[in-house]
């Protein structure tokens, strides 16, 4: 969680530059998919997982602009899809507040967030997520390819954070294809 603390610290520093108000609006929609891989948060996954979903990201009404050219903007991402492990599939949906950080002159969009997810199945083979409610920690990068079309990478950690006891989770590495509204 050191990266989350660093992002929060950066956000607080940039907040001193002063807020600029904007409206709540849909930023982008897309599809993504991926599989587990290197465990960023540690822990031992007992099964292999894949996740496929659709997502939408909205801009929230505040953005902070720094004189240095860096911006910090709150976002809200919603997802709906399938989590597959041990030959079993279940629905996974999430709501994740994000903090997007970037330079106004850069095409890259970087974000970090912590939110909640709901699973319709919490047991996949020998791995037990503990229950339906899960926490989601995520960071991602997106780059435009042509007009509104973009590609990106998202790392997502899904676990119960030991709410139900043992706390086994999954680290998913996903590629995304998105459309950004202008």
């Amino acid at each position: 969680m050191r990266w989350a603390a660093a992002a929060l610290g950066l956000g607080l520093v940039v907040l001193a530059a002063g807020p600029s108000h904007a409206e709540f609006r849909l930023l982008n929609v897309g599809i993504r998919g991926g599989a587990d891989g290197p465990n960023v948060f540690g822990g031992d996954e007992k099964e292999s997982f894949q996740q496929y979903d659709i997502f939408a990201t909205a801009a929230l009404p505040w953005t902070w602009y720094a004189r240095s050219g860096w911006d910090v903007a709150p976002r809200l991402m919603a997802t709906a899809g399938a989590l597959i492990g041990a030959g079993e599939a279940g629905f996974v949906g999430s709501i994740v507040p994000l903090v997007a950080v970037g330079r106004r002159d850069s095409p890259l969009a970087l974000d970090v967030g912590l939110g909640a997810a709901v699973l319709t199945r919490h047991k996949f083979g020998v791995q037990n997520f503990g229950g339906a409610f899960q926490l989601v920690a995520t960071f991602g990068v997106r780059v435009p390819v042509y007009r509104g079309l973009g590609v990106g990478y998202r790392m997502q950690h899904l676990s119960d954070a030991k709410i139900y006891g043992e706390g086994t989770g999954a680290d998913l590495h996903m590629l995304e294809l998105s459309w950004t509204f202008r």
Side-chain angles (χ1 to χ4, degrees), residues 1-10 40-41 112 137 139:
M1 287 283 205
R2 290 181 184 166
W3 59 268
L8 179 61
L10 176 63
V40 175
F41 291 95
V112 61
F139 63 86

Side-chain angles (χ1 to χ4, degrees), residues 17-159:
S20 171
H21 299 284
E23 61 195 44
F24 179 89
R25 65 182 173 89
L26 185 62
L27 287 177
N28 57 49
V29 296
I31 59 173
R32 64 184 182 192
D36 56 357
N39 286 337
V40 175
F41 291 95
D44 295 321
E45 295 173 3
K46 295 174 176 53
E47 298 287 353
S48 292
F49 289 93
Q50 299 87 42
Q51 183 173 329
Y52 304 95
D53 59 29
I54 57 173
F55 67 91
T57 307
L60 297 177
W62 309 275
T63 298
W64 291 271
Y65 300 102
R67 290 183 195 99
S68 65
W70 286 90
D71 302 338
V72 174
R75 307 275 190 251
L76 187 63
M77 179 175 60
T79 70
L83 182 64
I84 304 164
E88 302 171 314
F91 172 83
V92 58
S94 69
I95 300 287
V96 182
L98 301 168
V99 175
V101 179
R103 291 188 56 85
R104 275 172 253 154
D105 58 354
S106 173
L108 290 177
L110 305 167
D111 63 53
V112 61
L114 183 63
V118 175
L119 302 175
T120 58
R121 169 188 295 276
H122 60 87
K123 292 182 182 177
F124 295 85
V126 296
Q127 183 159 337
N128 185 350
F129 281 88
F133 177 78
Q134 301 290 306
L135 294 178
V136 177
T138 185
F139 63 86
V141 60
R142 185 175 303 120
V143 63
V145 176
Y146 179 75
R147 297 192 182 192
L149 186 64
V151 296
Y153 163 80
R154 179 153 308 275
M155 186 279 162
Q156 176 176 290
H157 175 73
L158 181 69
S159 81

